[in-house]
Amino acid sequence: MDNIIYTLAVNAIPLLLAITLHEAAHGYVARMFGDRTAEMLGRITLNPLKHIDMVGTLIVPAITLAIGGFVFGWAKPVPVNTSALRNPKRDMIWVAAAGPLSNFLMAIGWAILLKVSDSSALDAIAQAGISWNVGLMVLNLLPILPLDGGRILAGLLPGPLSYKYSRLEPYGLYIVLGLSIAQLLGPILFPLYKIVFSALRALVGI
């Protein structure tokens, strides 16, 4: 019981911040490019309750954690009205990239805290913050719709090819979930995780 309480205490704040700022960043950048949908729905907020999805944020991560391998989950997607964007195809690339970028910036922040901290409790929380944010970043950059990497790729592909690729979106989460259950997601993502973590260490000097 003590181990469970300790694990929750160490991971709760970093995980909630990683999810909340990731989703809020999508809404914030969408507003910059003309779409105020997320703002009107109260999604540009640091309130985690606005972003938590019961299945994706709680149930699926618990299942994938229990069976081992890379923990997979998702938050409630921030709604984006692409027709309200000034240049929908181009602007959606930036809207999608905002989430992973926010995770990378948070990972840098946690790494700086780890470097200057002289508290073992803060060290543990900072390490969790780095792990969650780097993990969410590399997961979301997979070129599979509806993940952010898939949306970035759809924006970069020429029109007809982008349209054909976008038709795969209804199957994307099933593909990622299947990879996780088959324990294939970890072998794909861990090398990317190590590259980002190594870059982070070199950047901050930890």
Side-chain angles (χ1 to χ4, degrees):
M1 179 62 72
D2 289 343
N3 287 338
I4 294 175
I5 294 174
Y6 176 79
T7 299
L8 289 174
V10 166
N11 288 277
I13 291 177
L15 177 57
L16 287 176
L17 281 175
I19 292 172
T20 299
L21 290 176
H22 178 108
E23 295 301 329
H26 287 312
Y28 178 77
V29 174
R31 185 178 66 181
M32 287 177 57
F33 286 105
D35 176 29
R36 304 182 71 90
T37 305
E39 180 184 28
M40 291 187 293
L41 294 175
R43 295 298 303 278
I44 306 178
T45 176
L46 298 183
N47 179 1
L49 296 179
K50 291 285 188 176
H51 304 292
I52 289 175
D53 179 272
M54 182 62 68
V55 174
T57 313
L58 301 175
I59 296 175
V60 171
I63 293 173
T64 55
L65 181 63
I67 64 177
F70 201 93
V71 178
F72 168 61
W74 61 88
K76 190 185 300 180
V78 165
V80 177
N81 178 10
T82 54
S83 63
L85 298 173
R86 288 187 282 273
N87 186 322
K89 195 169 186 293
R90 181 201 64 195
D91 294 347
M92 196 60 204
I93 295 173
W94 296 107
V95 173
L101 178 60
S102 73
N103 290 127
F104 184 64
L105 294 176
M106 278 187 281
I108 292 174
W110 286 116
I112 292 172
L113 178 61
L114 179 62
K115 184 176 181 178
V116 303
S117 170
D118 59 0
S119 164
S120 59
L122 276 179
D123 287 352
I125 294 172
Q127 288 171 346
I130 295 169
S131 295
W132 281 115
N133 279 286
V134 174
L136 283 171
M137 176 186 169
V138 297
L139 172 63
N140 276 283
L141 284 176
L142 283 177
I144 302 173
L145 287 166
L147 297 178
D148 298 327
R151 300 209 181 281
I152 293 170
L153 179 58
L156 293 173
L157 289 172
L161 191 56
S162 176
Y163 172 74
K164 291 180 181 179
Y165 174 70
S166 296
R167 294 178 66 183
L168 298 174
E169 181 167 350
Y171 313 103
L173 285 178
Y174 296 107
I175 293 171
V176 179
L177 183 57
L179 289 172
S180 180
I181 292 174
Q183 299 190 23
L184 296 174
L185 194 59
I188 294 171
L189 294 179
F190 280 132
L192 300 175
Y193 181 96
K194 289 179 180 179
I195 291 171
V196 176
F197 187 72
S198 296
L200 195 63
R201 291 184 62 183
L203 182 64
V204 179
I206 55 175

